[in-house]
Amino acid sequence: MTAVAVALPAPVVEMIGVRRVFPGPPEVEAIRDVDLTIRQGEYLSIVGPSGSGKSTLLHLLGLLDNPSGGVYRLDGVDTMSLRERRRAVLRGERIGFVFQSFHLLAHRTVLENVALSMVYVGVPRRERMARARVALERVGLSHRMDFGPTTLSGGERQRVAIARALVAEPSLLLADEPTGNLDSVNAEAILELFDELHRGGMTLAVITHDDHVSERAQRRVRIVDGTLQW
Amino acid sequence: MRDVLDEALAGVAARPTRLILTTLGTVLGVAALVGTVGLGQTAAGQISQKFDLAQATRVVVEPEENNGQEGEAATELPWDAPDRLGRLNGVDAVGTVSALDVGDDLVSNVAGLNGGEGKALTVMSGSAGLFDAIRAVLKTGRFFDAGHDQRGDKVVVLGKHAAERLGINRVDSAPAIFIGDEAYTVIGILDSVAGRAELNDSVIMPNGTAKAAYDLKSPDAIEIRTAVGAAQLIAGQAPKAIQPNDPSKLKVDAPPKQGAVRKGVESDLNALFLLLGAVALLVGGLGIANVTLLSVLERIGEIGLRRALGAARRHIAAQFLVESVIVGLLGGLLGTAVGVLLTVGVSFAKDWTPILDNKLAFGSPLLGAVIGLIAGTYPAWKASAIQPITALRGA
Ligand SMILES: Nc1ncnc2c1ncn2[C@@H]1O[C@H](COP(=O)(O)OP(=O)(O)O)[C@@H](O)[C@H]1O
Ligand SMILES: [Mg+2]
């Protein structure tokens, strides 16, 4: 028994009976009774139709929103009792976000956009640029570092966003419809990048309504009406 | 802290056109304030330059220039005029001054040079009180006193330039000079005088000496030093005190009323400009508040992103607050520059020396920053109150 327990990697995410109710009117129970464990190095996809509560779940996982009930431990830390300030620090240090619409700052260079994710987590200024360069090399964008995001293609923009999510060395990479705004060629490149990250030991949770995307994951979870189905 | 500043600077710099429009109100307001206060200070400076203390307290009495014509007996200043004036309240010092007619006599530091290498210096005489009345300062030695005057001692005091031309710079060895063939002992050398600049080039002897040597009949003029603010009063009283029977035959020189000049410069316009400046500042502040609020709404996605990257509410608030302080500071700097240029420009046109208080020059940009701070408070609070999920869904 002990041998089995030791063999399993430590859980990054532990959700038990998590609910999220948006007080109306009309009241919407977007997430009901979710039990979810994501272990270190896992590549999980959460797939479901539009309006099923995917984004709400991602916000809860990413500490951007508070559950209405249940227990959520991130890296073993009980997040339910944390004050907002602590949650912000935890979010900055442990979570990397990739959004459907990239969310790059248009007036800053690619390099600056990537370095931005180290501003709020206390990485010394001198280190930031060097680490941002390494992260951009990792996503194959060394030649675009001093460009503005508006000059890049959608696929390149999303790779910048991924570099930004990786550079602070998070415990968990959260992606919400990462290929939703991309054509199939660019989408494929992003998915290959995820595969590579997974092989490198990164813990990933990708949320999508697209079966092609979810199929790439090691483990798939379906969400319908705010409930997880295995 | 550096990071907040960097992020805020980048945020401000991202929209240069908007930045300029946003600062406009502050620029106008600060420019109006700095210009008004600067011109006020400059004008006041001209007044005090023209009306330095020496001039503001100097009254000179002379006989009317055209008197003695048409057969009338010439009016002469009496020798006891200083005593009479000295009794008036508000007269601090009084003395007579006269230019002597020395004929062909030249001044020299060596005997027997009359008509030879002597110098054509002016020879003047005065009462003992003259030096105090014209605020004379000694370089060395002493002034002559009432005793010298009464005894008619052969002593002189040299004006600064006169001493230089005669090659005399010390009096401890009691050097002698010669006017014509007469020897006089130099007892003092002047360093400066506030009125009567011609004394700098003169040899000055006591009246008693001048009466004996050159038959001086009456003083040319009377120099009065009044208490501060008493010049007008003394100017009015002096002729009657000197010549109760015929005061109108005397000419009095007194400084113009200070109040009258000051009033001409500091008109009601100042109050109007200050008011306009204040209104412009208020409008400028509201403008900054409005644009910052607008930019909060526009940048809601950025707010969401920053929160996702670990920014707490206070980081977001600080960013927008610092941005609006920067906008205010920039407006303050530009406004100060415009105000200073205005002051210098008007001064140049009016041939004034521009005077600007350091406090004004350095304080005004800060005024802009304070306006930015006040204007930014509400938008910053608004921005920090936006929920991350709302912010991320919005964009
Ligand atoms: N802030 C909110 N307030 C009220 N209802 C919300 C809010 N966010 C999401 N919802 C509702 O919760 C449900 C799930 O939404 P969401 O998680 O965005 O779905 P998905 O991402 O799967 O399309 C939807 O019915 C949506 O209308
Ligand atoms: Mg969604």
Side-chain angles (χ1 to χ4, degrees), chain B residues 108-136:
Chain B
S108 140
N109 54 358
V110 187
L113 281 181
N114 201 10
E117 292 169 39
K119 301 190 167 54
L121 289 168
T122 321
V123 180
M124 309 208 41
S125 81
S127 66
L130 173 68
F131 299 106
D132 192 11
I134 58 169
R135 295 171 187 269

Coordinates of all heavy atoms in Angstrom, one line a residue, chain B residues 108-136:
Chain B
S108 N 46.3 119.1 -6.8 CA 47.5 118.3 -7.0 C 48.0 117.7 -5.7 O 47.6 118.2 -4.6 CB 48.5 119.1 -7.7 OG 49.8 118.8 -7.2
N109 N 48.8 116.7 -5.8 CA 49.3 116.1 -4.5 C 50.7 116.6 -4.3 O 51.4 116.2 -3.4 CB 49.3 114.6 -4.6 CG 50.0 114.1 -5.8 OD1 50.5 114.9 -6.7 ND2 50.1 112.8 -5.9
V110 N 51.2 117.5 -5.1 CA 52.5 118.1 -5.0 C 52.4 119.6 -5.0 O 51.6 120.1 -5.7 CB 53.5 117.7 -6.1 CG1 54.9 118.1 -5.8 CG2 53.4 116.2 -6.3
A111 N 53.1 120.3 -4.1 CA 53.0 121.8 -4.1 C 53.6 122.4 -5.4 O 54.5 121.8 -6.0 CB 53.8 122.3 -2.9
G112 N 53.1 123.5 -5.7 CA 53.6 124.3 -6.8 C 53.3 123.8 -8.2 O 54.0 124.2 -9.2
L113 N 52.3 123.0 -8.4 CA 52.0 122.5 -9.7 C 50.8 123.3 -10.3 O 50.3 122.9 -11.3 CB 51.7 121.1 -9.7 CG 52.9 120.1 -9.6 CD1 52.4 118.7 -9.6 CD2 53.8 120.4 -10.8
N114 N 50.4 124.3 -9.6 CA 49.3 125.1 -10.1 C 49.5 125.5 -11.6 O 50.5 126.1 -11.9 CB 49.0 126.3 -9.3 CG 47.6 126.8 -9.4 OD1 46.8 126.1 -10.0 ND2 47.3 128.0 -8.9
G115 N 48.6 125.1 -12.4 CA 48.7 125.5 -13.8 C 49.7 124.5 -14.5 O 49.8 124.6 -15.7
G116 N 50.3 123.6 -13.8 CA 51.2 122.7 -14.4 C 50.6 121.3 -14.6 O 49.6 121.2 -15.4
E117 N 51.0 120.4 -13.8 CA 50.5 119.0 -13.9 C 49.3 118.7 -13.0 O 48.9 117.6 -12.8 CB 51.6 118.0 -13.7 CG 52.7 118.0 -14.7 CD 53.9 117.2 -14.3 OE1 53.7 116.1 -13.7 OE2 55.0 117.7 -14.6
G118 N 48.7 119.7 -12.4 CA 47.6 119.5 -11.5 C 46.4 119.0 -12.2 O 46.3 119.0 -13.5
K119 N 45.4 118.5 -11.5 CA 44.3 117.9 -12.1 C 43.0 118.7 -11.9 O 42.8 119.3 -10.8 CB 44.1 116.5 -11.5 CG 45.3 115.6 -11.7 CD 45.1 114.2 -11.3 CE 46.2 113.3 -11.8 NZ 47.6 113.8 -11.4
A120 N 42.2 118.8 -12.9 CA 41.0 119.6 -12.8 C 39.9 118.8 -12.1 O 38.9 118.4 -12.7 CB 40.5 120.0 -14.3
L121 N 40.0 118.6 -10.9 CA 39.0 117.9 -10.1 C 38.0 118.9 -9.6 O 38.3 120.1 -9.3 CB 39.6 117.1 -8.9 CG 40.5 115.9 -9.3 CD1 41.3 115.4 -8.1 CD2 39.6 114.8 -9.8
T122 N 36.8 118.5 -9.4 CA 35.7 119.3 -8.8 C 36.0 119.5 -7.3 O 36.4 118.6 -6.6 CB 34.4 118.7 -8.9 OG1 34.3 118.1 -10.2 CG2 33.3 119.7 -8.8
V123 N 35.8 120.7 -6.9 CA 36.0 121.0 -5.4 C 34.6 121.3 -4.9 O 33.9 122.2 -5.5 CB 37.0 122.1 -5.2 CG1 37.1 122.4 -3.7 CG2 38.3 121.8 -5.8
M124 N 34.2 120.7 -3.8 CA 32.9 120.9 -3.3 C 33.0 121.1 -1.8 O 34.0 120.8 -1.2 CB 32.0 119.7 -3.6 CG 32.0 119.3 -5.1 SD 30.6 118.5 -5.8 CE 29.2 119.3 -5.1
S125 N 31.9 121.6 -1.2 CA 31.9 121.7 0.2 C 30.6 121.2 0.8 O 29.6 121.2 0.1 CB 32.1 123.2 0.6 OG 30.9 123.9 0.5
G126 N 30.6 120.9 2.0 CA 29.4 120.4 2.7 C 29.4 120.6 4.1 O 30.5 121.0 4.7
S127 N 28.3 120.4 4.8 CA 28.2 120.5 6.2 C 28.6 119.1 6.7 O 28.7 118.2 6.0 CB 26.8 120.9 6.7 OG 25.9 119.9 6.3
A128 N 28.8 119.1 8.0 CA 29.3 117.8 8.6 C 28.2 116.7 8.4 O 28.5 115.5 8.3 CB 29.6 118.0 10.1
G129 N 26.9 117.1 8.4 CA 25.9 116.1 8.3 C 25.7 115.6 6.9 O 25.0 114.6 6.7
L130 N 26.4 116.1 5.9 CA 26.2 115.7 4.5 C 26.4 114.2 4.3 O 25.7 113.5 3.6 CB 27.1 116.5 3.6 CG 27.1 116.1 2.1 CD1 25.8 116.4 1.4 CD2 28.2 116.8 1.3
F131 N 27.5 113.8 4.9 CA 27.9 112.4 4.6 C 26.9 111.4 5.1 O 26.5 110.4 4.4 CB 29.3 112.1 5.3 CG 30.4 113.0 4.8 CD1 30.8 114.0 5.6 CD2 30.9 112.7 3.5 CE1 31.8 114.8 5.1 CE2 31.9 113.6 3.0 CZ 32.4 114.6 3.8
D132 N 26.3 111.7 6.3 CA 25.3 110.8 6.8 C 24.0 110.9 5.9 O 23.4 109.9 5.6 CB 24.9 111.2 8.2 CG 24.1 110.2 8.9 OD1 23.9 109.0 8.3 OD2 23.5 110.4 10.0
A133 N 23.7 112.1 5.4 CA 22.5 112.3 4.6 C 22.6 111.6 3.3 O 21.5 111.1 2.8 CB 22.3 113.8 4.4
I134 N 23.8 111.5 2.7 CA 23.8 110.8 1.4 C 24.3 109.3 1.6 O 24.7 108.7 0.6 CB 24.7 111.5 0.4 CG1 26.1 111.7 1.0 CG2 24.1 112.9 0.0 CD1 27.1 112.2 0.0
R135 N 24.3 108.8 2.8 CA 24.7 107.5 3.1 C 26.1 107.2 2.6 O 26.4 106.1 2.0 CB 23.8 106.5 2.4 CG 22.4 106.5 2.9 CD 21.4 105.6 2.1 NE 20.1 105.8 2.5 CZ 19.5 105.1 3.4 NH1 20.1 104.1 4.0 NH2 18.2 105.3 3.8
A136 N 27.0 108.1 2.8 CA 28.4 107.9 2.4 C 29.1 106.9 3.2 O 28.8 106.7 4.4 CB 29.2 109.2 2.5

